[in-house]
Amino acid sequence: MHYQKILVAINIYEDYNHVIDSAKAFAEKVNAPVDVVTVIDNAAEFVPAAIDFQRSLQENAKEKLETIKPRLEGIKASYHILEGNPNHQITHYANENHCDLIIIGSHGRHGINLLLGSTANSVLHKSKCDVLTVRIRENNPNKVLNYKKTLLATDLEDDSQEVAKLAQVISKLFDAQVSTITVQGDPTVVTGIYGIVPEVQTKIAEDIQDKLDDWSKQYGFNGKHYNNTGNAADEITQTANDESYGLIVLGSHQRGALGRFFLGSTANAVLHHAKQDVLIKKLK
C-alpha cells in the first residue's frame, strides 16, 4: 500500500520549509511524484478593479514556488497556483488529479493555523484520500519524519484492518516500532449500558485488553498496547505526547456512524492537540 501521487499543500505566507522537507523525505521513501499547490485569493472575482492586485498575488506565488524547486531536486514534482477557497481547491485538486495522499502543515501555537485551521478540518472531511499533517513548532522543531516510534489508534472494528495495513507500511518504510491504543468511554458516562459495577468494568477491560493484544500480534505490532478509558482524542494525544511518539496513525470515516469513536471530530481533535505528525487513513 504505497502512495502513488502526493499533493503537498503549502501556505506561502507561513513557514512551509519543514513541510517541504518532510514531503520530500516521504516521497523518496514511497518513490512517488508530488504536486505542490498553493492557494491564493481570487480578489478580482469580487472586485474587478483589483486585477493588478491579483496579478501581484500570482507573481508573488510564482516566485515563492521557484524558490522551492531546488529543495525538491531529485523528486518528480509539479507546481500549481490555485485561486479561490483553500477548503475547496485543495480537495478538488486532489480528487481530480488522483492524488492518494495530501500533506499539509499544522501549527501548535494557534491550534491549526490560518490556511491549515478550518482548512485542515475541511480537507479531512472532504478529501477522499489520506491526509498527513506535519507539525510545525518554531521554538522546538520536529525532526523530519521522526517515525521510529509510531502510535496506532484503533477502535478494533472490522475496518480497522485498513488502518493496520497502513501502519504496517509505515513500520517497514521507517523501521518503526508500532504501539497500539484503544479508548473506552468513561464508565460513569455509560451507566445506562453497564452501570458502574466494578466487576463488570474489570471484565470488560480485561476482554478488550485481550482483544487488543491479539489484534496487535496479528499485524506484528510489537510495541506497547494501551487500553485507556476516557475521551478518545485526549487519551490518544496525551499518550503520544507523554511517551514521545513521532507519529500518530488513525482512521477517519467520510460519514460518521453513531457509536464509533473515530468520527471526524476525534480526528480533528487529535490534529489540534498532537505535538507530532498525524497520518489519517480515510475510511468509507
Side-chain angles (χ1 to χ4, degrees):
M1 188 195 295
H2 286 192
Y3 295 109
Q4 302 300 313
K5 190 176 185 181
I6 300 172
L7 184 155
V8 183
I10 63 168
N11 181 352
I12 60 173
Y13 304 107
E14 291 288 311
D15 181 5
Y16 51 77
N17 292 323
H18 186 61
V19 178
I20 292 297
D21 292 343
S22 297
K24 179 181 180 181
F26 198 97
E28 288 176 335
K29 284 286 187 179
V30 300
N31 192 29
V34 301
D35 286 6
V36 180
V37 304
T38 189
V39 185
I40 62 175
D41 290 332
N42 188 358
E45 179 181 0
F46 305 101
V47 185
I51 293 178
D52 289 341
F53 176 68
Q54 188 69 32
R55 288 173 179 166
S56 70
L57 291 178
Q58 283 276 358
E59 289 303 316
N60 184 43
K62 288 179 181 179
E63 291 174 4
K64 292 285 187 179
L65 293 181
E66 283 296 325
T67 66
I68 292 173
K69 290 182 179 181
R71 303 184 61 177
L72 291 177
E73 187 175 356
I75 298 293
K76 184 179 179 181
S78 61
Y79 302 84
H80 309 272
I81 301 170
L82 310 178
E83 296 183 1
N85 186 312
N87 300 349
H88 171 74
Q89 292 296 333
I90 292 172
T91 53
H92 179 73
Y93 183 94
N95 295 339
E96 289 295 310
N97 292 275
H98 309 293
C99 299
D100 50 7
L101 177 67
I102 297 174
I103 299 180
I104 58 177
S106 63
H107 290 266
R109 68 181 186 275
H110 298 303
I112 300 175
N113 201 28
L114 198 57
L115 166 66
L116 307 168
S118 59
T119 299
N121 296 342
S122 182
V123 166
L124 177 58
H125 284 303
K126 296 180 180 179
S127 173
K128 297 179 182 179
C129 67
D130 298 356
V131 178
L132 172 63
T133 62
V134 175
R135 176 62 76 187
I136 300 170
R137 294 185 291 174
E138 293 180 352
N139 296 329
N140 183 24
N142 289 339
K143 296 180 181 178
V144 172
L145 305 187
N146 182 29
Y147 299 165
K148 290 289 186 179
K149 287 183 66 177
T150 293
L151 181 64
L152 166 62
T154 176
D155 57 7
L156 298 173
E157 296 291 341
D158 290 342
D159 54 9
S160 293
Q161 62 179 330
E162 295 183 45
V163 190
K165 291 177 180 178
L166 176 58
Q168 285 180 317
V169 171
I170 295 298
S171 176
K172 182 177 180 180
L173 289 174
F174 298 95
D175 192 26
Q177 181 184 64
V178 178
S179 295
T180 55
I181 182 171
T182 192
V183 184
Q184 308 308 310
D186 189 331
T188 62
V189 176
V190 294
T191 55
I193 301 176
Y194 297 114
I196 53 175
V197 178
E199 291 81 2
V200 173
Q201 294 301 328
T202 299
K203 182 62 168 61
I204 293 172
E206 290 175 349
D207 289 346
I208 293 174
Q209 186 66 61
D210 289 342
K211 186 176 181 180
L212 178 63
D213 291 342
D214 291 343
W215 186 87
S216 301
K217 182 178 180 180
Q218 174 186 349
Y219 292 101
F221 302 142
N222 57 4
K224 297 179 179 179
H225 307 155
Y226 305 94
N227 178 20
N228 292 10
T229 300
N231 176 275
D234 290 346
E235 293 298 322
I236 293 167
T237 54
Q238 190 67 49
T239 300
N241 296 342
D242 289 347
E243 300 293 329
S244 300
Y245 286 94
L247 176 69
I248 299 173
V249 180
L250 74 162
S252 178
H253 291 268
Q254 294 184 34
R255 52 185 185 274
L258 187 61
R260 300 295 301 276
F261 78 69
F262 283 143
L263 304 181
S265 59
T266 296
N268 285 328
V270 169
L271 291 181
H272 182 78
H273 295 292
K275 296 180 181 179
Q276 49 283 112
D277 297 357
V278 179
L279 177 58
I280 299 170
K281 174 67 180 177
K282 292 308 295 281
L283 303 171
K284 295 181 179 179

